[in-house]
């Protein structure tokens, strides 16, 4: 374990690296877990890459809905790449140390990409709201320029909102223990190792979680309440079924992603446990990205047709 001496406190020491505990408590399953996570990672990469390719190649999918879906798939690939490759490497080696800089970098990109996903999902719900509730104005409101502006705003907002927060977290004194009881540098396990006053950071976590998770979720929920009310008024049963099928795919992804994120970052600190934190983290770092291509490919006829045309 690496330390640096704090001149102001004589013999006290400050940590300059962590040891990721990961799944060291199940040594007999290291090989199995490596194979499992490798397969999951490959499925996520291939599935989301296929969505990106078909939305670029197929002219019938050159619409705002699939433009945002393509952005979301790019995000999913980046999102899992922040955590899973490191996890796979740690399952193969004894030394699982991670420097402060590497830990801070991983946390920043994980939070930034997660925030961007929340914003992109909100933009996708707005697109569905305009398409179903204001169909005559849809081509005018959701033009290509606005779509690019919305997507750019989502990426820039996600990239900037967590810079200061990550800096504040790693400005805290970490005096030991050095073992991070998690498989990546997430906020709750890192804060557990801080020996300073973390009250301000914990309050900031709730504020950011509200702005990034709760507020977008409320907007999405409001959009879908109006969408459902409009769909129920459609005279055609076929039209209602098509609208519900399209929107239910997006809503399933929203509930999976926002549900696990809300439980992780907004539940009281006293209810946090190592096992639960790790399980929830596995869920929103691997399960949501793997469900995304499955949900959209299996439940979306346009995507299914485009895939069949793409395959030889």
């Amino acid at each position: 374990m690496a330390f640096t001496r704090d001149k102001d406190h004589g013999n006290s020491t400050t940590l300059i690296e962590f040891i990721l505990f990961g799944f060291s408590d199940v040594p007999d399953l290291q090989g199995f877990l490596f194979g499992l996570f490798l397969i999951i990672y490959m499925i996520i990469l291939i599935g989301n890459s296929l969505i990106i390719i078909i939305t670029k190649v197929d002219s019938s999918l050159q619409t705002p809905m699939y433009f945002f879906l393509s952005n979301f798939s790019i995000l999913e690939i980046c999102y899992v790449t922040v955590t899973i490759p490191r996890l796979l490497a740690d399952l193969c080696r004894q030394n699982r140390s991670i420097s402060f800089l590497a830990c801070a970098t991983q946390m920043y990109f994980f939070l930034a990409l997660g925030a961007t996903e929340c914003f992109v999902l909100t933009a996708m719900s707005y697109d569905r709201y305009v398409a179903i509730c204001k169909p005559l104005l849809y081509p005018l409101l959701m033009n290509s320029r606005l779509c690019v502006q919305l997507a750019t705003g989502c990426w820039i907002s996600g990239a900037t909102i967590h810079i200061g927060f990550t800096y504040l977290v790693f400005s805290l004194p970490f005096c030991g223990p050095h073992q991070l009881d998690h498989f990546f540098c997430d906020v709750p396990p890192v804060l557990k190792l801080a020996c300073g006053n973390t009250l301000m950071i914990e309050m900031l976590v709730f504020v950011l979680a509200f702005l990034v998770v709760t507020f977008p979720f409320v907007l999405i929920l409001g959009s879908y309440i109006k969408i459902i009310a409009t769909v129920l008024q459609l005279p055609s049963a076929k039209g209602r079924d098509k609208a519900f099928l399209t929107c239910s795919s997006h809503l399933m992804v929203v509930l999976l992603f926002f549900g696990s994120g809300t439980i992780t970052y907004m539940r009281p600190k006293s209810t946090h446990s190592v096992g639960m934190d790790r399980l929830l983290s596995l869920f929103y770092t691997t399960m949501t990205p793997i469900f995304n291509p499955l949900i959209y490919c299996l439940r979306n006829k346009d995507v299914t047709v485009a895939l069949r045309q793409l395959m030889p």
Side-chain angles (χ1 to χ4, degrees):
M1 178 175 67
F3 291 97
T4 182
R5 186 169 299 279
D6 188 334
K7 295 180 181 179
D8 296 329
H9 295 82
N11 293 325
S12 65
T13 55
T14 303
L15 287 168
I16 60 172
E17 69 176 22
F18 295 123
I19 302 295
L20 289 169
F21 189 70
F23 294 92
S24 301
D25 52 342
V26 284
D28 296 336
L29 295 177
Q30 300 287 300
F32 169 76
L33 290 174
F34 178 85
L36 176 64
F37 288 122
L38 180 61
I39 291 171
I40 289 174
Y41 187 49
M42 295 306 297
I43 292 173
I44 292 170
L45 292 182
I46 294 170
N48 284 285
S49 295
L50 278 174
I51 290 179
I52 296 167
I53 292 170
I54 62 175
T55 53
K56 297 296 182 184
V57 172
D58 196 303
S59 58
S60 65
L61 300 183
Q62 303 292 315
T63 63
M65 183 176 83
Y66 295 107
F67 169 76
F68 288 117
L69 178 58
S70 176
N71 271 267
F72 189 69
S73 293
I74 293 171
L75 273 168
E76 295 285 49
I77 291 173
C78 297
Y79 190 62
V80 297
T81 302
V82 172
T83 56
I84 294 186
R86 171 79 200 202
L87 171 60
L88 291 172
D90 287 342
L91 286 169
C92 296
R93 60 190 178 189
Q94 295 297 320
N95 181 17
R96 299 185 179 93
S97 63
I98 182 170
S99 68
F100 252 37
L101 179 60
C103 191
T105 302
Q106 186 183 53
M107 179 185 287
Y108 166 71
F109 279 106
F110 177 76
L111 294 175
L113 290 168
T116 306
E117 285 203 20
C118 292
F119 299 146
V120 169
L121 286 170
T122 307
M124 291 172 74
S125 71
Y126 175 71
D127 169 71
R128 291 299 83 207
Y129 163 74
V130 176
I132 294 173
C133 299
K134 301 180 183 295
L136 297 179
L137 295 175
Y138 184 71
L140 179 64
L141 293 177
M142 295 304 296
N143 56 68
S144 58
R145 180 181 178 183
L146 178 63
C147 291
V148 171
Q149 288 175 342
L150 283 173
T152 303
C154 291
W155 283 90
I156 292 175
S157 299
T160 56
I161 199 169
H162 283 105
I163 293 176
F165 175 74
T166 306
Y167 174 79
L168 288 174
V169 169
F170 284 88
S171 296
L172 292 169
F174 294 90
C175 308
H178 69 296
Q179 187 170 283
L180 191 67
D181 212 345
H182 210 43
F183 62 92
F184 73 99
C185 292
D186 201 0
V187 177
V190 170
L191 286 181
K192 284 182 180 179
L193 301 186
C195 54
N197 185 359
T198 62
L199 180 61
M200 186 186 73
I201 301 294
E202 289 167 13
M203 291 176 63
L204 192 55
V205 169
F206 276 95
V207 172
L208 287 175
F210 176 80
L211 293 174
V212 173
V213 180
T214 306
F215 185 64
F217 181 71
V218 170
L219 291 177
I220 293 172
L221 193 60
S223 297
Y224 273 95
I225 289 173
K226 292 185 177 180
I227 287 171
I228 292 170
T230 303
V231 169
L232 291 175
Q233 294 175 2
L234 292 176
S236 168
K238 186 177 180 180
R240 288 196 299 270
D241 292 341
K242 184 178 180 181
F244 274 127
L245 187 64
T246 302
C247 294
S248 62
S249 299
H250 178 247
L251 196 56
M252 287 174 66
V253 174
V254 166
L255 292 175
L256 286 170
F257 186 76
F258 279 90
S260 55
T262 300
I263 295 172
T264 300
Y265 294 106
M266 297 202 73
R267 74 186 196 274
K269 185 180 179 181
S270 59
T271 63
H272 282 257
S273 67
V274 173
M276 181 59 71
D277 285 347
R278 200 184 301 171
L279 181 63
L280 285 170
S281 297
L282 276 175
F283 193 82
Y284 62 73
T285 55
T286 59
M287 291 300 102
T288 302
I290 204 173
F291 282 144
N292 176 44
L294 292 176
I295 289 171
Y296 281 107
C297 290
L298 296 178
R299 294 176 59 86
N300 191 304
K301 291 182 180 179
D302 293 335
V303 175
T304 304
V305 171
L307 275 174
R308 287 174 181 170
Q309 293 175 348
L310 184 66
M311 298 299 179

